[in-house]
Amino acid sequence: MHGSVALDDGDLGLVEALQRDPRAPWTTVAEVVGTNAVTASRRWDRLRSTGAAWVTGTPGLGSYHARCLAYVDVSCLPSAKTWVAHELAGDAHALSIDITAGGRDLLLTVAAVDLPTLGRYLLERLDRVPGVTGTRARIATRLYAEGSLWRLGVLPAAGEVAPLPPTRTITLDTVDRELMSALGADGRASYATLAQATGISQPTARRRVDRLISSGAVLLRADVAAPLAGWPVSVVLSADSPAGRLNDVATTLGRLRQVRLCATLASTPSLIVVAWLSSLEELHRFEQGFLQKVPDVEVLDRLVVLRAVKRMGHLLDDDGRAVAMVPMDVWRDPSEPPGAEAGQSAGS
């Protein structure tokens, strides 16, 4: 069990440098944070080995369609919330899991390669878990902000954050999926490591990884243990907007400092917003701030995250540290036994 020690400015600066460019060489990272490459590399090794920070390659919209990404509210028997969360944490399709307060017990981010696979996961796996009393799935139509675009904000501004890369759906073979699994465990894995893991040459590994990233099949993101980085409160807002204003509203909300996720939904309400805050007291100020920017939005529901159990494949402890990894195999048949590949150390 790791001690709950806040990250210092040097740690946070290093993480933000990698948020800007997750696979940047250490010489480039060192220039950004004002140190040398050896020191930057050693500091990162410490952060990653303790689970305080990590780089993940997540399945992007080039590997599954937006309609196959869903945010699922789960209700549980009162005594079963934690057990259900940890049971589902071993599932490849459940990318992120939060235990929440505010009307629902769990919030899951679920992804699948196509709509039938998503349906099988929701109907044949999730609905049949003992202790689950109800579910509500809201299928995303478009992402306007997500974790790869969020910044800690401790370094001098480097211009506007680029939007999500243009997406083109590509055909993925077994090697591509193996590369994506390896990048999910460590988004900074060397080409030599990736080549060894997949049985291909280093030049081929480089070409394939470049293709996966440029197509949007993989989204690279540097993540951090939120409570240790000064962001202990995560809130989930469900909001509605006039249909004619939905794109403009989602674009505006996605640019707000605290927003980690903003997506439009094929449901009512039509928007989901996830924000990281420094305190619960900040919640109402945050709401007031974005209602001033988009006054025609109505917030219909609020959830507060009590415990983040899993974030984009990484299992988390109570301090938000990554302690293990479940490959995000969104192509997997949901009928396969869950958790077969869980337990790969986040520090490996």
Side-chain angles (χ1 to χ4, degrees), residues 2 9 26 52 71 74 84 100 105 118 120 126 160 168 172-173 182 210 224 249 258 303 310-311 336:
H2 302 296
D9 289 343
W26 288 121
Y71 303 98
V74 180
V84 170
T100 60
D105 297 317
L118 178 63
R120 284 196 300 275
L126 180 57
E160 189 172 339
R168 65 179 191 276
L172 304 176
D173 60 20
D210 288 346
V224 65
V249 166
Q258 302 96 326
L303 298 175
K310 184 180 185 183
R311 190 190 316 152
E336 293 181 20

Side-chain angles (χ1 to χ4, degrees), residues 88-178:
L88 295 172
D91 291 1
H93 298 85
L95 304 187
S96 297
I97 300 176
D98 294 312
I99 301 175
T100 60
R104 263 85 62 212
D105 297 317
L106 307 179
L107 176 65
L108 275 59
T109 301
V110 176
V113 67
D114 53 34
L115 202 55
T117 303
L118 178 63
R120 284 196 300 275
Y121 179 77
L122 296 177
L123 299 173
E124 299 173 19
R125 165 58 177 163
L126 180 57
D127 285 349
R128 298 181 181 181
V129 174
V132 170
T133 59
T135 63
R136 181 183 68 152
R138 296 175 287 171
I139 299 176
T141 56
R142 180 177 171 185
L143 292 178
Y144 287 78
E146 58 86 54
S148 70
L149 304 180
W150 189 81
R151 303 290 182 263
L152 284 166
V154 297
L155 294 177
E160 189 172 339
V161 176
L164 289 169
T167 297
R168 65 179 191 276
T169 302
I170 62 174
T171 301
L172 304 176
D173 60 20
T174 301
V175 173
D176 290 325
R177 289 172 57 179
E178 290 174 350

